PDB file of all heavy atoms in Angstrom:
ATOM      1  N   LEU A   1     141.849 127.300  69.026  1.00 93.00           N
ATOM      2  CA  LEU A   1     142.755 126.219  68.627  1.00 93.00           C
ATOM      3  C   LEU A   1     142.965 126.294  67.121  1.00 93.00           C
ATOM      4  O   LEU A   1     141.994 126.302  66.355  1.00 93.00           O
ATOM      5  CB  LEU A   1     142.156 124.859  69.012  1.00 93.00           C
ATOM      6  CG  LEU A   1     143.016 123.634  68.693  1.00 93.00           C
ATOM      7  CD1 LEU A   1     144.325 123.669  69.480  1.00 93.00           C
ATOM      8  CD2 LEU A   1     142.242 122.354  69.001  1.00 93.00           C
ATOM      9  N   LYS A   2     144.208 126.358  66.704  1.00 93.00           N
ATOM     10  CA  LYS A   2     144.528 126.455  65.288  1.00 93.00           C
ATOM     11  C   LYS A   2     144.493 125.068  64.646  1.00 93.00           C
ATOM     12  O   LYS A   2     145.169 124.141  65.094  1.00 93.00           O
ATOM     13  CB  LYS A   2     145.905 127.080  65.086  1.00 93.00           C
ATOM     14  CG  LYS A   2     145.911 128.593  65.063  1.00 93.00           C
ATOM     15  CD  LYS A   2     147.228 129.108  64.490  1.00 93.00           C
ATOM     16  CE  LYS A   2     147.079 130.565  64.077  1.00 93.00           C
ATOM     17  NZ  LYS A   2     148.307 131.018  63.377  1.00 93.00           N
ATOM     18  N   VAL A   3     143.718 124.951  63.593  1.00 94.00           N
ATOM     19  CA  VAL A   3     143.619 123.703  62.839  1.00 94.00           C
ATOM     20  C   VAL A   3     143.710 124.066  61.363  1.00 94.00           C
ATOM     21  O   VAL A   3     143.031 124.994  60.902  1.00 94.00           O
ATOM     22  CB  VAL A   3     142.297 122.965  63.138  1.00 94.00           C
ATOM     23  CG1 VAL A   3     142.197 121.690  62.303  1.00 94.00           C
ATOM     24  CG2 VAL A   3     142.189 122.627  64.620  1.00 94.00           C
ATOM     25  N   SER A   4     144.512 123.358  60.613  1.00 95.00           N
ATOM     26  CA  SER A   4     144.733 123.709  59.213  1.00 95.00           C
ATOM     27  C   SER A   4     143.524 123.364  58.349  1.00 95.00           C
ATOM     28  O   SER A   4     142.726 122.481  58.685  1.00 95.00           O
ATOM     29  CB  SER A   4     145.964 122.979  58.671  1.00 95.00           C
ATOM     30  OG  SER A   4     145.689 121.604  58.510  1.00 95.00           O
ATOM     31  N   GLU A   5     143.406 124.070  57.237  1.00 95.00           N
ATOM     32  CA  GLU A   5     142.336 123.803  56.276  1.00 95.00           C
ATOM     33  C   GLU A   5     142.430 122.371  55.762  1.00 95.00           C
ATOM     34  O   GLU A   5     141.408 121.702  55.570  1.00 95.00           O
ATOM     35  CB  GLU A   5     142.441 124.789  55.109  1.00 95.00           C
ATOM     36  CG  GLU A   5     141.319 124.680  54.092  1.00 95.00           C
ATOM     37  CD  GLU A   5     140.036 125.365  54.547  1.00 95.00           C
ATOM     38  OE1 GLU A   5     140.096 126.137  55.529  1.00 95.00           O
ATOM     39  OE2 GLU A   5     138.983 125.121  53.932  1.00 95.00           O
ATOM     40  N   LYS A   6     143.642 121.894  55.560  1.00 97.00           N
ATOM     41  CA  LYS A   6     143.843 120.528  55.060  1.00 97.00           C
ATOM     42  C   LYS A   6     143.269 119.503  56.038  1.00 97.00           C
ATOM     43  O   LYS A   6     142.608 118.529  55.633  1.00 97.00           O
ATOM     44  CB  LYS A   6     145.329 120.269  54.858  1.00 97.00           C
ATOM     45  CG  LYS A   6     145.682 118.860  54.376  1.00 97.00           C
ATOM     46  CD  LYS A   6     147.175 118.736  54.134  1.00 97.00           C
ATOM     47  CE  LYS A   6     147.552 117.332  53.677  1.00 97.00           C
ATOM     48  NZ  LYS A   6     147.349 116.339  54.746  1.00 97.00           N
ATOM     49  N   GLU A   7     143.484 119.723  57.321  1.00 97.00           N
ATOM     50  CA  GLU A   7     142.958 118.799  58.323  1.00 97.00           C
ATOM     51  C   GLU A   7     141.433 118.833  58.349  1.00 97.00           C
ATOM     52  O   GLU A   7     140.782 117.787  58.448  1.00 97.00           O
ATOM     53  CB  GLU A   7     143.525 119.152  59.702  1.00 97.00           C
ATOM     54  CG  GLU A   7     145.012 118.847  59.841  1.00 97.00           C
ATOM     55  CD  GLU A   7     145.584 119.307  61.159  1.00 97.00           C
ATOM     56  OE1 GLU A   7     144.950 120.161  61.825  1.00 97.00           O
ATOM     57  OE2 GLU A   7     146.668 118.827  61.526  1.00 97.00           O
ATOM     58  N   LEU A   8     140.868 120.038  58.243  1.00 96.00           N
ATOM     59  CA  LEU A   8     139.416 120.158  58.254  1.00 96.00           C
ATOM     60  C   LEU A   8     138.795 119.434  57.067  1.00 96.00           C
ATOM     61  O   LEU A   8     137.771 118.743  57.207  1.00 96.00           O
ATOM     62  CB  LEU A   8     139.002 121.629  58.243  1.00 96.00           C
ATOM     63  CG  LEU A   8     139.410 122.473  59.455  1.00 96.00           C
ATOM     64  CD1 LEU A   8     138.897 123.892  59.299  1.00 96.00           C
ATOM     65  CD2 LEU A   8     138.894 121.858  60.741  1.00 96.00           C
ATOM     66  N   VAL A   9     139.394 119.564  55.915  1.00 96.00           N
ATOM     67  CA  VAL A   9     138.885 118.891  54.713  1.00 96.00           C
ATOM     68  C   VAL A   9     138.956 117.380  54.895  1.00 96.00           C
ATOM     69  O   VAL A   9     138.020 116.649  54.525  1.00 96.00           O
ATOM     70  CB  VAL A   9     139.672 119.338  53.472  1.00 96.00           C
ATOM     71  CG1 VAL A   9     139.314 118.467  52.262  1.00 96.00           C
ATOM     72  CG2 VAL A   9     139.381 120.805  53.158  1.00 96.00           C
ATOM     73  N   GLU A  10     140.036 116.888  55.475  1.00 97.00           N
ATOM     74  CA  GLU A  10     140.180 115.452  55.713  1.00 97.00           C
ATOM     75  C   GLU A  10     139.089 114.935  56.658  1.00 97.00           C
ATOM     76  O   GLU A  10     138.549 113.840  56.469  1.00 97.00           O
ATOM     77  CB  GLU A  10     141.558 115.148  56.298  1.00 97.00           C
ATOM     78  CG  GLU A  10     142.693 115.257  55.293  1.00 97.00           C
ATOM     79  CD  GLU A  10     144.039 114.943  55.915  1.00 97.00           C
ATOM     80  OE1 GLU A  10     144.082 114.686  57.141  1.00 97.00           O
ATOM     81  OE2 GLU A  10     145.042 114.954  55.185  1.00 97.00           O
ATOM     82  N   VAL A  11     138.763 115.742  57.662  1.00 97.00           N
ATOM     83  CA  VAL A  11     137.718 115.346  58.615  1.00 97.00           C
ATOM     84  C   VAL A  11     136.370 115.245  57.910  1.00 97.00           C
ATOM     85  O   VAL A  11     135.628 114.267  58.074  1.00 97.00           O
ATOM     86  CB  VAL A  11     137.634 116.350  59.783  1.00 97.00           C
ATOM     87  CG1 VAL A  11     136.429 116.042  60.668  1.00 97.00           C
ATOM     88  CG2 VAL A  11     138.905 116.313  60.605  1.00 97.00           C
ATOM     89  N   VAL A  12     136.048 116.246  57.110  1.00 96.00           N
ATOM     90  CA  VAL A  12     134.759 116.258  56.423  1.00 96.00           C
ATOM     91  C   VAL A  12     134.676 115.114  55.418  1.00 96.00           C
ATOM     92  O   VAL A  12     133.622 114.478  55.263  1.00 96.00           O
ATOM     93  CB  VAL A  12     134.525 117.619  55.735  1.00 96.00           C
ATOM     94  CG1 VAL A  12     133.247 117.595  54.899  1.00 96.00           C
ATOM     95  CG2 VAL A  12     134.439 118.724  56.789  1.00 96.00           C
ATOM     96  N   GLU A  13     135.762 114.818  54.739  1.00 95.00           N
ATOM     97  CA  GLU A  13     135.763 113.698  53.795  1.00 95.00           C
ATOM     98  C   GLU A  13     135.558 112.365  54.512  1.00 95.00           C
ATOM     99  O   GLU A  13     134.903 111.463  53.992  1.00 95.00           O
ATOM    100  CB  GLU A  13     137.076 113.680  53.013  1.00 95.00           C
ATOM    101  CG  GLU A  13     137.193 114.800  51.987  1.00 95.00           C
ATOM    102  CD  GLU A  13     138.540 114.792  51.281  1.00 95.00           C
ATOM    103  OE1 GLU A  13     139.430 114.039  51.728  1.00 95.00           O
ATOM    104  OE2 GLU A  13     138.694 115.540  50.292  1.00 95.00           O
ATOM    105  N   ALA A  14     136.095 112.251  55.722  1.00 96.00           N
ATOM    106  CA  ALA A  14     136.001 110.992  56.463  1.00 96.00           C
ATOM    107  C   ALA A  14     134.680 110.842  57.207  1.00 96.00           C
ATOM    108  O   ALA A  14     134.122 109.741  57.286  1.00 96.00           O
ATOM    109  CB  ALA A  14     137.148 110.886  57.459  1.00 96.00           C
ATOM    110  N   LEU A  15     134.156 111.945  57.743  1.00 95.00           N
ATOM    111  CA  LEU A  15     132.972 111.883  58.600  1.00 95.00           C
ATOM    112  C   LEU A  15     131.730 112.461  57.947  1.00 95.00           C
ATOM    113  O   LEU A  15     130.638 112.409  58.533  1.00 95.00           O
ATOM    114  CB  LEU A  15     133.239 112.614  59.926  1.00 95.00           C
ATOM    115  CG  LEU A  15     134.460 112.134  60.715  1.00 95.00           C
ATOM    116  CD1 LEU A  15     134.629 112.964  61.978  1.00 95.00           C
ATOM    117  CD2 LEU A  15     134.342 110.651  61.057  1.00 95.00           C
ATOM    118  N   ASP A  16     131.896 113.038  56.749  1.00 92.00           N
ATOM    119  CA  ASP A  16     130.793 113.626  55.992  1.00 92.00           C
ATOM    120  C   ASP A  16     130.143 114.739  56.818  1.00 92.00           C
ATOM    121  O   ASP A  16     130.825 115.448  57.542  1.00 92.00           O
ATOM    122  CB  ASP A  16     129.791 112.541  55.604  1.00 92.00           C
ATOM    123  CG  ASP A  16     128.999 112.903  54.357  1.00 92.00           C
ATOM    124  OD1 ASP A  16     129.248 113.979  53.782  1.00 92.00           O
ATOM    125  OD2 ASP A  16     128.152 112.107  53.940  1.00 92.00           O
ATOM    126  N   GLY A  17     128.821 114.896  56.715  1.00 92.00           N
ATOM    127  CA  GLY A  17     128.155 116.011  57.380  1.00 92.00           C
ATOM    128  C   GLY A  17     127.370 115.607  58.605  1.00 92.00           C
ATOM    129  O   GLY A  17     126.354 116.239  58.937  1.00 92.00           O
ATOM    130  N   VAL A  18     127.821 114.582  59.299  1.00 93.00           N
ATOM    131  CA  VAL A  18     127.102 114.107  60.490  1.00 93.00           C
ATOM    132  C   VAL A  18     127.525 114.943  61.695  1.00 93.00           C
ATOM    133  O   VAL A  18     128.664 114.832  62.164  1.00 93.00           O
ATOM    134  CB  VAL A  18     127.393 112.617  60.752  1.00 93.00           C
ATOM    135  CG1 VAL A  18     126.555 112.117  61.928  1.00 93.00           C
ATOM    136  CG2 VAL A  18     127.124 111.782  59.500  1.00 93.00           C
ATOM    137  N   PRO A  19     126.642 115.796  62.220  1.00 91.00           N
ATOM    138  CA  PRO A  19     127.029 116.690  63.314  1.00 91.00           C
ATOM    139  C   PRO A  19     127.626 115.968  64.516  1.00 91.00           C
ATOM    140  O   PRO A  19     128.571 116.454  65.129  1.00 91.00           O
ATOM    141  CB  PRO A  19     125.712 117.388  63.676  1.00 91.00           C
ATOM    142  CG  PRO A  19     124.924 117.370  62.411  1.00 91.00           C
ATOM    143  CD  PRO A  19     125.260 116.067  61.757  1.00 91.00           C
ATOM    144  N   GLY A  20     127.090 114.799  64.855  1.00 90.00           N
ATOM    145  CA  GLY A  20     127.592 114.088  66.023  1.00 90.00           C
ATOM    146  C   GLY A  20     129.038 113.665  65.902  1.00 90.00           C
ATOM    147  O   GLY A  20     129.818 113.808  66.844  1.00 90.00           O
ATOM    148  N   TRP A  21     129.427 113.164  64.729  1.00 93.00           N
ATOM    149  CA  TRP A  21     130.817 112.733  64.539  1.00 93.00           C
ATOM    150  C   TRP A  21     131.755 113.931  64.458  1.00 93.00           C
ATOM    151  O   TRP A  21     132.859 113.900  65.010  1.00 93.00           O
ATOM    152  CB  TRP A  21     130.958 111.892  63.274  1.00 93.00           C
ATOM    153  CG  TRP A  21     130.075 110.687  63.169  1.00 93.00           C
ATOM    154  CD1 TRP A  21     129.503 110.190  62.030  1.00 93.00           C
ATOM    155  CD2 TRP A  21     129.664 109.788  64.216  1.00 93.00           C
ATOM    156  NE1 TRP A  21     128.770 109.063  62.297  1.00 93.00           N
ATOM    157  CE2 TRP A  21     128.858 108.793  63.632  1.00 93.00           C
ATOM    158  CE3 TRP A  21     129.911 109.738  65.589  1.00 93.00           C
ATOM    159  CZ2 TRP A  21     128.282 107.763  64.372  1.00 93.00           C
ATOM    160  CZ3 TRP A  21     129.332 108.709  66.340  1.00 93.00           C
ATOM    161  CH2 TRP A  21     128.540 107.749  65.728  1.00 93.00           C
ATOM    162  N   LEU A  22     131.335 114.985  63.770  1.00 94.00           N
ATOM    163  CA  LEU A  22     132.175 116.190  63.668  1.00 94.00           C
ATOM    164  C   LEU A  22     132.420 116.783  65.057  1.00 94.00           C
ATOM    165  O   LEU A  22     133.542 117.193  65.380  1.00 94.00           O
ATOM    166  CB  LEU A  22     131.500 117.222  62.765  1.00 94.00           C
ATOM    167  CG  LEU A  22     131.290 116.819  61.307  1.00 94.00           C
ATOM    168  CD1 LEU A  22     130.463 117.873  60.579  1.00 94.00           C
ATOM    169  CD2 LEU A  22     132.613 116.595  60.595  1.00 94.00           C
ATOM    170  N   SER A  23     131.369 116.811  65.857  1.00 91.00           N
ATOM    171  CA  SER A  23     131.484 117.365  67.209  1.00 91.00           C
ATOM    172  C   SER A  23     132.432 116.522  68.058  1.00 91.00           C
ATOM    173  O   SER A  23     133.238 117.057  68.831  1.00 91.00           O
ATOM    174  CB  SER A  23     130.103 117.427  67.854  1.00 91.00           C
ATOM    175  OG  SER A  23     130.170 117.948  69.154  1.00 91.00           O
ATOM    176  N   TYR A  24     132.364 115.208  67.903  1.00 93.00           N
ATOM    177  CA  TYR A  24     133.224 114.339  68.712  1.00 93.00           C
ATOM    178  C   TYR A  24     134.691 114.495  68.309  1.00 93.00           C
ATOM    179  O   TYR A  24     135.578 114.508  69.168  1.00 93.00           O
ATOM    180  CB  TYR A  24     132.780 112.886  68.556  1.00 93.00           C
ATOM    181  CG  TYR A  24     133.499 111.944  69.504  1.00 93.00           C
ATOM    182  CD1 TYR A  24     133.476 112.167  70.873  1.00 93.00           C
ATOM    183  CD2 TYR A  24     134.197 110.835  69.023  1.00 93.00           C
ATOM    184  CE1 TYR A  24     134.141 111.318  71.747  1.00 93.00           C
ATOM    185  CE2 TYR A  24     134.863 109.985  69.890  1.00 93.00           C
ATOM    186  CZ  TYR A  24     134.827 110.225  71.253  1.00 93.00           C
ATOM    187  OH  TYR A  24     135.492 109.393  72.115  1.00 93.00           O
ATOM    188  N   TYR A  25     134.950 114.632  67.008  1.00 95.00           N
ATOM    189  CA  TYR A  25     136.317 114.902  66.564  1.00 95.00           C
ATOM    190  C   TYR A  25     136.826 116.202  67.197  1.00 95.00           C
ATOM    191  O   TYR A  25     137.948 116.257  67.717  1.00 95.00           O
ATOM    192  CB  TYR A  25     136.380 115.020  65.038  1.00 95.00           C
ATOM    193  CG  TYR A  25     137.669 115.635  64.542  1.00 95.00           C
ATOM    194  CD1 TYR A  25     138.818 114.868  64.378  1.00 95.00           C
ATOM    195  CD2 TYR A  25     137.744 117.005  64.252  1.00 95.00           C
ATOM    196  CE1 TYR A  25     140.009 115.433  63.945  1.00 95.00           C
ATOM    197  CE2 TYR A  25     138.933 117.578  63.817  1.00 95.00           C
ATOM    198  CZ  TYR A  25     140.061 116.789  63.671  1.00 95.00           C
ATOM    199  OH  TYR A  25     141.235 117.366  63.249  1.00 95.00           O
ATOM    200  N   GLY A  26     136.012 117.253  67.170  1.00 94.00           N
ATOM    201  CA  GLY A  26     136.415 118.524  67.768  1.00 94.00           C
ATOM    202  C   GLY A  26     136.689 118.389  69.249  1.00 94.00           C
ATOM    203  O   GLY A  26     137.664 118.957  69.774  1.00 94.00           O
ATOM    204  N   PHE A  27     135.857 117.627  69.943  1.00 93.00           N
ATOM    205  CA  PHE A  27     136.062 117.402  71.374  1.00 93.00           C
ATOM    206  C   PHE A  27     137.413 116.743  71.632  1.00 93.00           C
ATOM    207  O   PHE A  27     138.155 117.136  72.547  1.00 93.00           O
ATOM    208  CB  PHE A  27     134.927 116.533  71.918  1.00 93.00           C
ATOM    209  CG  PHE A  27     135.177 115.971  73.283  1.00 93.00           C
ATOM    210  CD1 PHE A  27     135.060 116.766  74.413  1.00 93.00           C
ATOM    211  CD2 PHE A  27     135.545 114.646  73.444  1.00 93.00           C
ATOM    212  CE1 PHE A  27     135.301 116.248  75.683  1.00 93.00           C
ATOM    213  CE2 PHE A  27     135.789 114.117  74.703  1.00 93.00           C
ATOM    214  CZ  PHE A  27     135.664 114.927  75.820  1.00 93.00           C
ATOM    215  N   LEU A  28     137.757 115.747  70.817  1.00 95.00           N
ATOM    216  CA  LEU A  28     139.029 115.043  71.003  1.00 95.00           C
ATOM    217  C   LEU A  28     140.221 115.964  70.746  1.00 95.00           C
ATOM    218  O   LEU A  28     141.232 115.890  71.458  1.00 95.00           O
ATOM    219  CB  LEU A  28     139.085 113.826  70.079  1.00 95.00           C
ATOM    220  CG  LEU A  28     138.075 112.712  70.392  1.00 95.00           C
ATOM    221  CD1 LEU A  28     138.096 111.653  69.297  1.00 95.00           C
ATOM    222  CD2 LEU A  28     138.359 112.076  71.745  1.00 95.00           C
ATOM    223  N   ARG A  29     140.110 116.849  69.749  1.00 95.00           N
ATOM    224  CA  ARG A  29     141.196 117.801  69.495  1.00 95.00           C
ATOM    225  C   ARG A  29     141.365 118.753  70.662  1.00 95.00           C
ATOM    226  O   ARG A  29     142.490 119.079  71.067  1.00 95.00           O
ATOM    227  CB  ARG A  29     140.926 118.593  68.205  1.00 95.00           C
ATOM    228  CG  ARG A  29     141.021 117.809  66.914  1.00 95.00           C
ATOM    229  CD  ARG A  29     142.400 117.193  66.698  1.00 95.00           C
ATOM    230  NE  ARG A  29     143.503 118.137  66.792  1.00 95.00           N
ATOM    231  CZ  ARG A  29     143.977 118.852  65.767  1.00 95.00           C
ATOM    232  NH1 ARG A  29     143.429 118.720  64.568  1.00 95.00           N
ATOM    233  NH2 ARG A  29     145.005 119.654  65.931  1.00 95.00           N
ATOM    234  N   VAL A  30     140.238 119.200  71.206  1.00 93.00           N
ATOM    235  CA  VAL A  30     140.293 120.112  72.354  1.00 93.00           C
ATOM    236  C   VAL A  30     140.936 119.424  73.561  1.00 93.00           C
ATOM    237  O   VAL A  30     141.611 120.069  74.378  1.00 93.00           O
ATOM    238  CB  VAL A  30     138.876 120.621  72.703  1.00 93.00           C
ATOM    239  CG1 VAL A  30     138.880 121.399  74.017  1.00 93.00           C
ATOM    240  CG2 VAL A  30     138.328 121.494  71.584  1.00 93.00           C
ATOM    241  N   GLN A  31     140.762 118.104  73.654  1.00 93.00           N
ATOM    242  CA  GLN A  31     141.374 117.349  74.753  1.00 93.00           C
ATOM    243  C   GLN A  31     142.872 117.136  74.562  1.00 93.00           C
ATOM    244  O   GLN A  31     143.537 116.594  75.442  1.00 93.00           O
ATOM    245  CB  GLN A  31     140.682 115.994  74.894  1.00 93.00           C
ATOM    246  CG  GLN A  31     139.209 116.073  75.216  1.00 93.00           C
ATOM    247  CD  GLN A  31     138.927 116.907  76.450  1.00 93.00           C
ATOM    248  OE1 GLN A  31     139.440 116.614  77.523  1.00 93.00           O
ATOM    249  NE2 GLN A  31     138.133 117.942  76.299  1.00 93.00           N
ATOM    250  N   GLY A  32     143.418 117.550  73.403  1.00 94.00           N
ATOM    251  CA  GLY A  32     144.860 117.475  73.198  1.00 94.00           C
ATOM    252  C   GLY A  32     145.335 116.443  72.206  1.00 94.00           C
ATOM    253  O   GLY A  32     146.542 116.319  71.965  1.00 94.00           O
TER     254      GLY A  32
END
């Protein structure tokens, strides 16, 4: 799944380094 660098940076700024939140964001993107 293609995701832009800008989007990834926004996610990290919003969710910091918490593996659980990062994983859940990824799951939602995979769901469409």
Side-chain angles (χ1 to χ4, degrees):
L1 182 63
K2 274 195 163 187
V3 178
S4 72
E5 184 79 14
K6 178 177 179 293
E7 290 175 342
L8 296 181
V9 170
E10 287 180 358
V11 172
V12 174
E13 288 177 350
L15 305 178
D16 206 1
V18 184
W21 304 145
L22 297 173
S23 180
Y24 188 56
Y25 165 83
F27 167 76
L28 294 172
R29 291 300 307 272
V30 171
Q31 299 306 302

